[in-house]
Structure formats: C-alpha cells, structure tokens
Amino acid sequence: QARAPCSPARAEQRGVCPMSVNPTLAQDGSSGKLFPLPRSGEAFVLKRDGIDFECTLPRGGKLWGRGCFFLSSKRIVFVAEDKSCRGDFKSFEILLPNLSSPKFNQPIFGANYLSGMVKPTDEAGPLGDGLVGWSLTFNSGGCGTFLPLFYQLMAELQEEAHSASLAQAAQDGRLNQVAFVDPSDPSVLYLSQPTVAPGTQQETHFNHAEPSAPPAPGATAPEGGGHRGGNHNCSVM
C-alpha cells in the first residue's frame, strides 16, 4: 500500500509526513529521472552517482543499495537506482539538522566513504526514534567538489547564517560562482533548480515486519569498499 500523499508544505508544518526510509520521489521534468520531491524552501546543490549506501536497522538487519544521492540545502537523499537489498527499499533521507558525527573516511584499502549518525525523520517508522548509523561510499572519482559544499552547508546550519549563504546561491543559480570544481569529482552541480513532472510522485510503502537481507556478495560495508577508476569529470546542470 502506498502512503497517503503529503505536500511539502504540509510536511514542513506538521512534521508527520517526512520519512527517513522511502521519502517521496518524483520525475525530473527535464531528465525524466527520479529525484526527491522538493520541500518548501529547499534548494538542490548537487547529485552524485556511483554510490553505495548502508544503514543498520534498530530491529536488526541492514538496508543497503547502490545508486546516487542528492545534496540539498536541507538534506541528503540516497536513491537506489541500480541495486537494493529488498523490493520495498527505494530511498533514504538524512536531514542535515538531524545529522551528527559526520566523518569522511579514507581507508588504505577500499573506496572513500562518508559516515555519520542521524535521528530518523519519522519516529514511528522502521528506524524508531534512536540514532541510526549510515554510510555513503564513493565508488569512483574524488570528492573535492562535494566535501567543501557539504561542510559549508553544515556550518551554515550551525551558525544559522541567512546572508550570502550557499543555499541562497543554489536557489539563485550562482553555484558556479561559489563552488570549487574538482576535475576528479563527478558530482553534478545544479545551476538551475529541477522541476517536478506533473503526476509523477512515487511513494513506496516499507514493510516493517519483513526482515532485511544481509549485504550481497561484493556490496559495500560501512568500513568502505567498491572501486575507483575511469574518466570522472564534474559537470553542471
């Protein structure tokens, strides 16, 4: 069963509809690909492909998938475009204000990964109301574009900066003026904000009772994994 539709404005006001597991997705009116349904006042900063995601469920088991993530002024949203541990796991939301202990890890063996803890958006959901550990592994390319933007957004949230902010630059289409572009980082910067194709919202019900499968052979574990290589250049949208 699908969850009842919830507008971004209503979600912001009531704090009921946002979901850490399977936040609402929609098709980008330009590319036709799935992306997080924008919230009120949200500005998208970048998209990064070639990502392995993993988190541990409080009731046991793990969620993992391979796909991409979106960084916005409010959150990180992973979308399982390529692989998922179960059919009803499509996406995962990490609200930046709820994120704690972020750490960029550079293991000697394996790919670099970002890890941290997050307080779930939906306390009645499958993650409960405790802190959840998660990781995003960068299977290819560098992070010289992503990391400065991510840490700047986190700093602005802590300082409650309202003027000349990165979020405002993204909203105004001025990211190319403030972002450092690392040629080895394949992140895609948003120079204009994506629009939702009419009637394309997708909401996926997550079955709490169904046990989650262990990571598949070769899937990335929290301590890092994956591979690096290929021709990776940062691009803009």
Side-chain angles (χ1 to χ4, degrees), residues 4-5 20 46 48 58 85-86 97 101 110 121 133 142 168 171 180 187 192 196 217 233:
S20 291
L46 61 78
R48 179 67 181 256
C85 62
R86 44 191 286 176
S101 304
T121 313
Q168 189 61 53
Q171 192 68 56
F180 169 76
S187 298
S192 61
V196 176
N233 296 308

Side-chain angles (χ1 to χ4, degrees), residues 60-117:
K62 296 179 179 180
L63 291 180
W64 60 267
R66 176 166 294 176
C68 65
F69 73 73
F70 297 81
L71 172 66
S72 80
S73 57
K74 294 179 178 288
R75 53 186 173 153
I76 294 174
V77 179
F78 169 78
V79 178
E81 290 183 324
D82 303 322
K83 294 182 180 179
S84 176
C85 62
R86 44 191 286 176
D88 60 354
F89 173 52
K90 303 297 184 183
S91 55
F92 191 92
E93 174 181 74
I94 301 169
L95 286 184
L96 298 184
N98 291 2
L99 191 161
S100 60
S101 304
K103 181 181 179 182
F104 184 65
N105 306 271
Q106 297 177 285
I108 297 176
F109 301 103
N112 298 335
Y113 65 100
L114 182 70
S115 62
M117 306 293 290

Side-chain angles (χ1 to χ4, degrees), residues 150-168:
F150 167 70
Y151 282 116
Q152 184 175 342
L153 284 171
M154 294 297 294
E156 289 179 358
L157 286 173
Q158 294 176 359
E159 298 168 1
E160 298 183 352
H162 298 291
S163 60
S165 68
L166 177 58
Q168 189 61 53

Side-chain angles (χ1 to χ4, degrees), residues 184-198:
S184 71
D185 186 334
S187 298
V188 179
L189 294 176
Y190 280 99
L191 297 187
S192 61
Q193 291 301 298
T195 58
V196 176

